[in-house]
Amino acid sequence: MSVRNVTTESAPIRAVLITVAVGFLTLFLLMPLFAVFIEALRRGWEVFLASLYEDAAWSAVKLTLLTAAIAVPLNTLFGIAAAWAVTKHRFKGRALLLSLIDLPFAVSPVIAGLVWVLLFGAKGWFGPWLAEHDIKIIFAVPGIVIATVFITFPFVARELIPLMESQGTDQEEAAVTLGARGWQIFRRVTLPNIKWGLLYGVLLCNARAMGEFGAVSVVSGHIRGQTNTLPLHIEVLYNEYQFSAAFACATLLAFLALFTLGMKSVVEHFSGHVGKGH
Amino acid sequence: MSKRRVIPGFGLSLGFTITYLSLIILIPLAALFLKAGGAGWDEWAGLLTSPRVLAAAKLTFGASAAAAGVSVVFGLLVTWVLVRYEFPGRRLLDAMVDLPFALPTAVAGITLCAIYAPNGWVGEWLAKWGIQAAYNWTGVFIALTFIGFPFVVRTLQPVMEDLGREIEEAAATLGANRWQVFSRVVLPLLVPALITGFTLAFARAIGEYGSVIFISGNLPMKTEILPLLIVAQLEQFRYEGAAVIAAAMLIISFLLLFLINLLQRRLDWQNR
Amino acid sequence: MSISIQSIRKTFGTYKALDDISLEVPNGSLTALLGPSGSGKTTLLRIVAGLEFADDGPGKILFHGEDVSGIPAGKRGVGFVFQHYALFRHMTVAENIAFGLSVLPRGQRPAKTGIRDRVLELLRLVKLEGLEKRRPHELSGGQRQRVALARALAIRPKVLLLDEPFGALDAQVRKDLRRWLRVFHDEIGLTTLFVTHDQEEALELADQVVVMRNARVEQVGKPQAVYDQPRSPFVYEFLGNVNKLHEGRDARYVRPHEIEVLFAAECDPATDRLARVQHLFSAGPVATLSVRLDDGQFLDVELSRKQLDELALDVDDEIAVRF
């Protein structure tokens, strides 16, 4: 018997553990990922491309992009403001604010859609008033946007808060003693230190905004070519038994997911170099 | 006490944060609770004790707890392997763990269906053994495990990386064998993170919708989850009913999170 | 420019960090705020800088007679060197040093060449010529410290404030940099206030030492004066090694080098006491004896090697000590 390091397991046990873990990950992660692409191409390239060129698919893509283009900048602005207030200052109620920022994580997507229906739906608080003025929010694009804003609300903030907390306030204070003013401090001292974390937060927020299903499904009304985002379009196709078309559209979102994961590795690589300065 | 601050932008950033938080999150949630509160006791009791809601609650909480439990077991194993061992493909698998976070739930839903439905990749094979893994409890459980286990890995990973070999070496020099070192020294240190991971996976599973509804089959009394009941109420324009179920779900989720938070603080405190 | 600190109080919640502190820092002096952690010295330094604000009340900070309490940190004209330097990680050494000049409003900002000349001049001053393109993580601790100093000096501050300037350095670098800072201070003549918990550092470096304890000033004076005439047992024990002897209910403090060692036969009962040598540490220029007095108390005694050789002492020898 050979003597081995006291802090590791024997080779056979290691092999078993690695096999089980890799098997589990293959079954649960890799197989679904491959399945998306294989199912999409099951009936050939022509069907695949035709499903993507279809009008309904195009309008779904456009609506998805529009939704993300509104929700992501709003929540990015919020994330930066919230992280600045919470990490660079101490005040009463800070802990409460931190838990409130996390609140949407504990809310079901369906409920995130429901709250807007209760406010703006036909029988909601503002429903009659909106009907009188001929403004449509629920079963229309504005509803999809606000439901997405709710769902993606904490993503940038959650990425920035721990990062900025760990960086402390030394550098900002140094900038203050050197005469820098508000915006200068943020742009020239804070932003360069958080840019990678911010980028990843924005990407996560974007991935969720483009992929959100439950919340959007509640407020959309599934009007084909008008209020279907890409995930909703996939659902409609699937329920109509157009499986290959559904998976063809799903590949777009799967690529988005892979891109987001890839960017995470890139960001970790760079922030690892930048962050180890002191 | 002086209200002056050295680092600028406090009023602006806090003001914007609170306004935005109120408009997007707090006021809508308050409206939900107001609506549910206005429903009256009879509506609440009647709805929440109806067999269909009870069956859905049993399925949702039961499958969520089971999925979070299995996520903890496999999450621990996967994290251990990813942190401790070097093998080809490790970095790729590590990066892929986040896939369920990044993959839209609808895509996950139809894909899991394609794999576990009776005519699917794995489902077909399981069917030969008489196991049905979709359109029943097992299907819901599989979807929720897929959604939940990255939470466990990502909570556990930093803790395990920071553990350091010293305490294990210390235990080994005191004569503990490998299993004793793991179960009596390492595992207790991981418990708080495991509880957090479980909680996150569980909370996410309770509310999960997109990845479940395709594989669950949505049979009333059998495979309907609670979020689906909310949608069903809404489709009948029964806003109050939807609000009541939603409010009950939120109250239970918040209470669970709160209790587990308390438990965790105690454990953290003991480990200090 | 002199600094005058008048009746400053500071509380954090219920915790009293500074309790009615008044202090004068003479123009051009190098003054040390010395005290154990939690004594309030860093809080005081941050209040002088404007990074923290004293409680409302009569408390004031004056620079050369002018009340600066209401002036924000950025306009107060203080050069502040942080304990961990707080260098901007993403900027080069030159960009760090130039920062204070580059954030000036357009009208007051020097031209690019002006900024560059000033940066090079400061680099020469802190002996870091040629390192302007480096980034903070490529520098040693001592180099970072000097970059932080140059950055603080770039804005031509009226006073220089240093928070534990040598706290994060190794012993050897620490000693070298300490000497260098003393010479540097004498060259530029800027009123300087620094915080330290290291008594040796304060005594060696400062013109004036301010000993702090539990949110109050315990004693102020020249290093020699605080060392030789400590005003309280705390200062006695905090500054250098000291023997504490119980004589009845009182305690008496005697520094190890103030004790004279004689042969037992020479013992004069009026002034001397008999003792027995317990241990002998003689590695180094100064030898330390640990002796046990006739009443059982222990005493540390410092002798030169020469004296030790003359006495030819060994463990268990009986001697007389005079103090």
Side-chain angles (χ1 to χ4, degrees), chain A residues 19-49:
Chain A
T19 310
V20 176
V22 171
F24 176 80
L25 293 178
T26 308
L27 195 68
F28 256 70
L29 295 178
L30 299 183
M31 193 190 279
L33 193 61
F34 286 126
V36 176
F37 293 99
I38 290 173
E39 292 291 333
L41 292 171
R42 180 158 284 204
R43 290 173 54 207
W45 281 98
E46 273 172 38
V47 176
F48 177 82
L49 290 174

